[in-house]
């Protein structure tokens, strides 16, 4: 079941969503890469940080959402492309594509249930000695996700939401083992951020721009307001505001930075 993304809604919490990208990038010690790619670049606000850091590099932002790429295209100096990550990760036996020195993917892989199987293909796109860095949410057992799943499984919603995309991820050890088996040097860790939110139903505002969006879009217009009303109430109960109206949203994220081994010397 397809859905669309709203760049403006996504950017409502740009600072909070951007901090993990900055933390990820800080652990990539590449000095002068020539080719840098951001897979799942969204509206491009974070991709621009790649261009700022590596000014001599050719930087490309790739996203499957035409809406996101249309927003990103307003940023100059970066190449933007609408493409599916799964196609981009396909084998290239004839080496027709330029190898990538730094490959970054921030909060994207969780939308592909098979993304663990895609990692070898992504590593193949990285140049020997190059870097692959990604971050995925690891909070799918939190009420911000479980309440949506439970509510969507009830009638009268279930018949409409059954095919909606649901994000998922693995543990940092799963990613580390796979990449180590591919011969990479691996740095993997997790961090739980405590986001302090305010305003009416701020957790709903957060999730409706990301994880809950496919479910909300799957509902017909006459049912969506009822679902949203119930969902808001469940989230208010799970994340109560304090006396000052502040809500704390814990958000666990998983980070991986892998360096591809240098090419083996050719025997004489």
């Amino acid at each position: 079941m397809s859905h669309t993304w709203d760049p403006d809604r996504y950017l409502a919490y740009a600072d909070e969503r951007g901090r993990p990208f900055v933390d990820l990038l800080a652990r990539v010690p590449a000095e002068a890469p020539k080719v840098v790619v951001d897979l799942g670049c969204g509206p491009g606000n974070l991709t621009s940080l790649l261009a700022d850091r590596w000014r001599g590099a050719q930087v490309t932002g790739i996203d499957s959402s035409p809406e996101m790429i249309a927003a990103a295209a307003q940023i100059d100096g970066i190449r933007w492309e609408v493409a599916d990550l799964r196609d981009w990760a396909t084998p290239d036996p004839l080496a027709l594509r330029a190898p990538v020195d730094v490959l970054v993917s921030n909060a994207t892989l969780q939308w592909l249930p098979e993304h663990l199987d895609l990692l070898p293909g992504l590593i193949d796109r990285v140049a020997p000695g190059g870097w692959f860095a990604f971050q995925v949410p690891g909070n799918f057992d939190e009420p911000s996700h479980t309440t949506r799943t439970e509510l969507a499984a009830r009638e009268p919603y279930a018949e409409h939401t059954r095919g909606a995309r649901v994000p998922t991820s693995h543990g940092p050890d799963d990613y580390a083992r796979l990449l180590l088996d591919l011969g990479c040097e691996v740095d993997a860790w997790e961090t739980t951020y405590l986001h302090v939110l305010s305003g009416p139903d701020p957790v709903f505002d957060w999730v409706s721009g990301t994880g809950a969006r496919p479910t909300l879009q799957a509902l017909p217009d006459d049912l969506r307001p009822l679902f949203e009303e119930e969902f808001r109430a469940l989230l208010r109960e799970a994340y109560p505001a304090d006396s000052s109206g502040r809500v704390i949203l814990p958000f666990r994220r998983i980070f991986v930075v892998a360096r591809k081994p240098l090419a083996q010397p050719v025997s004489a």
Side-chain angles (χ1 to χ4, degrees):
M1 184 178 294
S2 62
H3 65 278
T4 60
W5 293 107
D6 182 342
D8 292 333
R9 195 174 187 92
Y10 181 83
L11 288 170
Y13 292 100
D15 288 344
E16 291 86 351
R17 298 192 200 282
R19 182 178 169 189
F21 185 90
V22 174
D23 292 345
L24 177 68
L25 202 58
R27 302 285 279 269
V28 180
E31 295 182 359
K34 295 179 180 178
V35 179
V36 177
V37 173
D38 184 3
L39 279 179
C41 64
N45 58 308
L46 299 176
T47 313
S48 64
L49 299 179
L50 301 176
D52 290 341
R53 175 171 173 181
W54 293 300
R55 294 186 178 275
Q58 172 191 309
V59 178
T60 300
I62 297 174
D63 203 284
S64 62
S65 166
E67 295 84 5
M68 288 294 197
I69 291 297
Q74 301 175 40
I75 302 173
D76 296 329
I78 298 173
R79 180 173 175 267
W80 306 104
E81 179 182 343
V82 177
D84 191 308
L85 184 153
R86 289 165 291 195
D87 296 333
W88 198 87
T90 55
D92 182 26
L94 299 180
L96 299 177
R97 305 163 179 156
V100 178
D101 298 306
V102 176
L103 176 60
V104 178
S105 184
N106 182 62
T108 296
L109 293 174
Q110 74 275 6
W111 289 107
L112 303 172
E114 75 282 19
H115 69 260
L116 209 60
D117 297 329
L118 297 177
L119 297 187
L122 294 173
I123 286 292
D124 283 345
R125 297 297 305 273
V126 177
W131 301 87
F132 174 36
F134 67 90
Q135 177 269 129
V136 290
N139 66 333
F140 300 118
D141 58 352
E142 292 291 329
S144 56
H145 289 277
T146 58
T147 54
R148 180 204 68 238
T149 301
E150 293 165 2
L151 180 60
R154 301 175 192 166
E155 296 300 341
Y157 312 122
E159 65 176 299
H160 305 287
T161 61
R162 194 167 290 116
R165 295 175 71 184
V166 176
T168 187
S169 64
H170 302 274
D173 53 327
D174 297 313
Y175 298 119
R177 287 192 187 98
L178 190 153
L179 292 166
L180 286 168
D181 287 344
L182 293 174
C184 297
E185 299 173 15
V186 179
D187 180 14
W189 71 99
E190 60 181 72
T191 298
T192 298
Y193 298 87
L194 298 179
H195 298 301
V196 181
L197 310 179
S198 60
D201 297 322
V203 179
F204 174 83
D205 290 342
W206 179 293
V207 300
S208 62
T210 52
R213 188 167 177 81
T215 298
L216 294 174
Q217 288 195 322
L219 292 164
D221 292 343
D222 60 332
L223 272 182
R224 191 177 302 117
L226 179 61
F227 182 93
E228 290 186 353
E229 181 180 353
E230 291 191 63
F231 191 25
R232 288 174 188 269
L234 290 170
L235 291 173
R236 284 196 297 269
E237 181 179 356
Y239 301 96
D242 64 17
S243 58
S244 298
R246 296 170 301 209
V247 173
I248 295 179
L249 174 66
F251 202 122
R252 174 177 175 253
R253 294 185 183 269
I254 297 165
F255 300 80
V256 180
V257 175
R259 190 179 192 191
K260 186 172 179 176
L262 292 169
Q264 296 297 320
V266 178
S267 301

